[in-house]
């Protein structure tokens, strides 16, 4: 028997995931004005979760917990310093991830173009955001093991953007960018990491400053998640996910020919939202 996904959602999470998927579908249909519509997908500040360790794949709320490449990790909701946050601690796990389940069976149902922003802190090693996460078939099962990764290296003071296929091994890459963390960002404290993925263009900012802007066409869709690597520990306080949906604009050109007889004429047009109508009037006669 082939497993659709290695993760087995309980019925409550399956219902919530279905509602999230439906909400995005209706939002995509409903918002059609303008060239691009912003749809707020979700926000999670982890305040409503029970402070404890969450073993296995079932994380707090909607989060799915996964360790790829072997080893183990600890996932916990922690309350400290006036914050309640989600902590990913790689005990000896290689690819330590928490992912939002925007999938139905094997199909991804969610936005292709989006931004995700997270308030985070790298306690040790590295930590960051994964996005456009896609399943990979390993044996008879499918695992969410292919994605882009924007990660922050604390000791080196660097931000990197990677394309990751975990079946190729740790560090197989390719690495798409590596830049210095701006001096204004204190990696011993909390900071904001933001990723924009629109078409082939990927942008990364840290502390409100854009540091990476590259084009890559390996992955065009997929969900988002949180990340740390072997020996690392990272904490996440606020996650925002915003979709950008392009509306289709239909242009209808109508030509009206009238003959002037001294009387007034009225033309009434009824158009649907998101449709542009261009009317050209040609007048003949006296």
């Amino acid at each position: 028997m082939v497993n659709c996904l290695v993760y087995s959602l309980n019925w409550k999470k399956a219902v919530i995931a279905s509602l999230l998927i439906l909400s995005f579908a209706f939002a995509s249909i409903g918002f059609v004005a303008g060239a691009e519509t912003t749809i707020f997908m979700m926000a999670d500040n982890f305040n409503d979760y029970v402070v404890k360790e969450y073993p296995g794949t079932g994380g707090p709320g909607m989060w799915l917990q996964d360790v790829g490449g072997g080893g183990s990790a600890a996932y916990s909701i922690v309350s400290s310093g006036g914050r309640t946050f989600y902590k990913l601690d790689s005990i000896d796990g290689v690819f330590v991830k928490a992912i939002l389940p925007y999938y139905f069976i094997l199909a991804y149902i969610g936005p292709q173009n989006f931004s995700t922003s997270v308030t985070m802190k790298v306690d040790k090693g590295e930590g960051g955001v994964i996005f456009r996460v896609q399943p990979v078939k390993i044996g008879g099962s499918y695992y969410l093991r292919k994605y882009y990764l924007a990660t922050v290296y604390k000791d080196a003071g660097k931000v990197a953007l990677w394309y990751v296929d975990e079946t190729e091994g740790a560090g197989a890459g390719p690495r798409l960018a590596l830049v210095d963390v701006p001096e204004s960002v204190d990696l011993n404290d909390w900071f904001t990491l933001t990723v924009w993925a629109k078409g082939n263009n990927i942008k990364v900012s840290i502390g409100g400053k854009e540091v990476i802007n590259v084009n890559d066409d390996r992955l065009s869709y997929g969900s988002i998640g949180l990340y740390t690597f072997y020996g690392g520990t990272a904490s996440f306080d606020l996650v925002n996910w915003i979709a950008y949906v392009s509306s289709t604009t239909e242009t209808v050109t109508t030509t009206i020919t009238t003959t002037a007889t001294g009387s007034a004429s009225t033309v009434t047009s009824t158009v649907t939202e998101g449709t542009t109508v261009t009317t050209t009037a040609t007048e003949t006669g006296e």
Side-chain angles (χ1 to χ4, degrees):
M1 178 179 178
V2 176
N3 296 325
C4 292
L5 277 179
V6 69
Y7 311 105
S8 299
L9 287 175
N10 61 39
W11 69 271
K12 290 183 180 179
K13 288 194 176 184
V15 169
I16 296 173
S18 299
L19 291 174
L20 288 172
I21 290 166
L22 285 174
S23 69
F24 174 71
F26 281 114
S28 300
I29 295 171
F31 291 89
V32 295
E36 185 179 74
T37 299
T38 299
I39 301 174
F40 188 78
M41 297 293 293
M42 60 80 67
D44 201 343
N45 60 11
F46 307 105
N47 289 343
D48 296 332
Y49 302 139
V50 177
V51 175
K52 67 172 188 177
E53 183 175 337
Y54 289 79
T57 59
M62 287 301 300
W63 297 95
L64 297 174
Q65 300 175 164
D66 174 74
V67 181
S72 57
Y75 296 82
S76 306
I77 294 294
V78 178
S79 181
S80 177
R83 293 179 181 267
T84 300
F85 52 90
Y86 192 18
K87 186 174 185 178
L88 280 59
D89 183 6
S90 168
I91 299 171
D92 58 0
V94 181
F95 302 101
V96 179
K97 307 177 296 295
I99 306 167
L100 287 177
Y102 263 67
Y103 300 88
F104 182 72
I105 307 178
L106 284 177
Y108 169 70
I109 305 178
Q112 292 186 347
N113 300 317
F114 53 79
S115 65
T116 180
S117 178
V118 57
T119 300
M120 61 173 291
K121 182 180 179 182
V122 181
D123 304 290
K124 181 176 62 174
E126 67 171 286
V129 174
I130 58 175
F131 56 101
R132 289 186 171 170
V133 185
Q134 295 185 8
V136 176
K137 188 175 183 180
I138 303 175
S141 299
Y142 287 86
Y143 301 80
L144 296 172
R145 300 289 170 80
K146 186 184 292 186
Y147 46 83
Y148 289 115
L149 163 67
T151 189
V152 178
Y153 303 105
K154 183 175 182 178
D155 292 342
K158 301 284 187 180
V159 183
L161 178 66
W162 292 82
Y163 163 76
V164 179
D165 181 346
E166 294 182 11
T167 62
E168 297 178 357
R175 188 175 64 195
L176 306 177
L178 180 67
V179 298
D180 292 328
V181 172
E183 293 182 0
S184 59
V185 178
D186 182 3
L187 293 185
N188 291 313
D189 202 353
W190 294 85
F191 59 87
T192 301
L193 183 68
T194 305
V195 170
W196 289 267
K198 291 185 177 183
N200 294 337
N201 185 242
I202 300 172
K203 297 178 181 178
V204 180
S205 73
I206 182 170
K209 294 187 176 182
E210 183 181 306
V211 293
I212 294 173
N213 187 337
V214 300
N215 292 321
D216 191 85
D217 61 0
R218 289 176 177 83
L219 303 174
S220 60
Y221 64 89
S223 192
I224 65 169
L226 311 173
Y227 175 93
T228 190
F229 191 65
Y230 181 84
T233 303
S235 300
F236 304 89
D237 183 29
L238 176 61
V239 181
N240 286 307
W241 192 15
I242 298 174
Y244 303 101
V245 179
S246 297
S247 56
T248 301
T249 301
E250 178 185 2
T251 301
V252 179
T253 302
T254 304
T255 302
I256 302 173
T257 302
T258 65
T259 300
T261 60
S263 60
S265 300
T266 302
V267 179
T268 302
S269 298
T270 302
V271 295
T272 58
E273 185 181 8
T275 301
T276 300
V277 176
T278 302
T279 302
T280 303
T282 304
E283 186 176 294
T284 61
E286 297 181 359

